[in-house]
Structures are given as structure tokens and as C-alpha cells.
Amino acid sequence: QAQLVESGGGSVKPGGSLRLSCEGSGIPFSDDYMTWIRQVPGEGLRWISYISSTGRYTNHADSVKGRFTISRDNAKNSMFLHMNSLRVEDSGVYFCTRGRNHAFDLWGQGIPVIVSS
Amino acid sequence: QSVLTQPPSASGSPGQSVTISCTGSTSDIGRFDLVSWYQQFPGKAPRLIIYEVNKRPSGVPDRFSGSKSDRTASLTVSGLRAEDEADFYCSSYAGYNLWVFGGGTKLTVL
């Protein structure tokens, strides 16, 4: 059964750091690009970060550039989001997704991140 | 504020059809035929229901259809059922490995 499972979320003070992990199973993990997408409860979705299938290419939304870094370890079927200098507005539920055909066809269950003093 | 504009709500009676619009710009919807739509139930992750404007993933009923004209994409749900009640989000590829989303539309089945 194809699935993505996120971990590593939690509560942190402004200026702090967190590392989110996403582990894939039941899928050819190294075949596809991956992204992180954030949702603030009661609000919409926002694309945060992209990483190519090999990890060679990455991109981040302007709001997190210079603070967040996406990476992956295909040997471990895992993807990561390193979040530094966290701000209150970074709070939300973070979804790990698989990308195909410029859409997101497989989603994790989501992991909450709370940035609060 | 979301880059793509969706109506906050839409509604219809069982059996009817409802269309949800998603308006972008010449940098996203107007430039690429790479619009996707997602259905989300409360407390659940979104589910892909339309990609590349009008294609359905395996397992998605043909009651869901998509289209695009200029800078506006649309999702039509035909033969509404009670179980269709959910939030719907549009998304578009915007070039350079970047994507944008709409603010979401809450669909109510009356």
C-alpha cells in the first residue's frame, strides 16, 4: 500500500528550529519529485518546497527561502524539511506529497508545527 | 492571501451539477495547462481528483470534470451526492518548480 508518513513536528519558540521527516513505503520513492505543502487550520493550502527525484534540484517559496532547506535520502525512502529561524506565521499542518504530472497525487497524513512564544 | 481566486462557498441539491471557478493570471493558469484539483474532508489530507486541467486519476468518478479558459479553470461536479460535501482546492504550476493554490471552496450539498 502506497503511503507517506510525516514525523518531527511539534511546538517551538520563534527563532527555533525543527526538522520534518517524510518516509515513503509501497512506492518507487526515487522515481518522483516531492514537495512540502502547508495548511493553516481553516485556511487554504500553500506550496512550500520542491525537490527533484535525485535531489539535485530544489526550490522554496519566497516566504521561507534562506530559512528552510529540503533534502532527501532515496536509499532510506525519506525526505526532510529543515526549518530554521521559525516564525509564528510558519505554523500549520505540513503535508509531504509525491509529485507527478505537475500535481500532487499522494499525500501524507500531515504533521502539525506550532511556533509560539 | 492565496494567489488563485476561488469562491469561498458553493452549493447544490442532490442530483444537480455545481461548478467551482479558479481564477489566476498569465503566469500560472493562463500560461500552463497544468491545473489540478483536490478534495479534502475535515481532518483528512487532500486527495487529487483532477490533473492537467481535465484528467482524472484512477478511481475518481467521472462525475468530476475539469476545464480551463484563458486564466480561469473550473471544476464541475455532476449528479451531486451527499458524500461530495467537502472542501475543494485548485492549484496551478507556475514555472520554475513552483506551484500556487486557491483559497478553497466549501461545497455544501443541500
Side-chain angles (χ1 to χ4, degrees), chain B residues 43-74:
Chain B
K44 300 294 187 181
R47 175 182 77 129
L48 176 68
I49 57 172
I50 295 288
Y51 67 99
E52 292 180 353
V53 176
N54 55 16
K55 296 178 181 177
R56 282 185 308 276
S58 173
V60 175
D62 59 6
R63 300 186 298 103
F64 294 92
S65 62
S67 62
K68 190 192 97 164
S69 177
D70 195 18
R71 297 177 296 114
T72 297
S74 299

Side-chain angles (χ1 to χ4, degrees), chain A residues 39 43 45 59 102 104 108, chain B residues 38 40 89 96-97 99 101:
Chain A
Q39 183 170 36
E43 296 184 14
L45 301 166
N59 194 20
H102 294 89
F104 313 111
Chain B
Y38 303 85
Q40 186 179 33
Y89 294 92
Y96 306 105
N97 298 320
W99 285 261
F101 279 93

Side-chain angles (χ1 to χ4, degrees), chain A:
Chain A
Q1 180 184 357
Q3 67 174 352
L4 299 170
V5 178
E6 302 97 337
S7 60
S11 196
V12 64
K13 286 182 167 48
S17 299
L18 276 177
R19 187 184 84 154
L20 303 184
S21 299
C22 169
E23 184 171 354
S25 59
I27 57 173
F29 190 82
S30 61
D31 281 4
D32 301 294
Y33 65 89
M34 304 285 291
T35 76
W36 288 97
I37 292 170
R38 179 176 70 211
Q39 183 170 36
V40 176
E43 296 184 14
L45 301 166
R46 185 177 294 268
W47 169 81
I48 298 297
S49 300
Y50 153 93
I51 187 165
S52 64
S53 58
T54 63
R56 180 175 182 181
Y57 302 104
T58 64
N59 194 20
H60 300 275
D62 286 346
S63 61
V64 306
K65 269 181 185 171
R67 301 186 298 120
F68 288 14
T69 301
I70 190 171
S71 62
R72 67 191 295 166
D73 183 345
N74 285 341
K76 296 182 178 179
N77 288 349
S78 295
M79 176 180 69
F80 309 97
L81 186 65
H82 305 259
M83 304 186 293
N84 297 320
S85 303
L86 281 161
R87 304 169 180 169
V88 171
E89 56 266 32
D90 295 322
S91 298
V93 176
Y94 284 72
F95 293 98
C96 156
T97 79
R98 180 179 70 179
R100 285 186 173 179
N101 303 307
H102 294 89
F104 313 111
D105 73 332
L106 184 63
W107 295 64
Q109 82 284 1
I111 191 91
V113 170
I114 301 168
V115 185
S116 173
S117 53

Side-chain angles (χ1 to χ4, degrees), chain A residues 33 47 49-50 58-62 65 102 104, chain B residues 3-4 25-35 91-101:
Chain A
Y33 65 89
W47 169 81
S49 300
Y50 153 93
T58 64
N59 194 20
H60 300 275
D62 286 346
K65 269 181 185 171
H102 294 89
F104 313 111
Chain B
V3 174
L4 306 180
S25 70
T26 54
S27 298
D28 38 67
I29 294 177
R31 183 177 177 193
F32 301 99
D33 288 336
L34 296 171
V35 177
S91 176
S92 176
Y93 183 64
Y96 306 105
N97 298 320
L98 181 154
W99 285 261
V100 291
F101 279 93

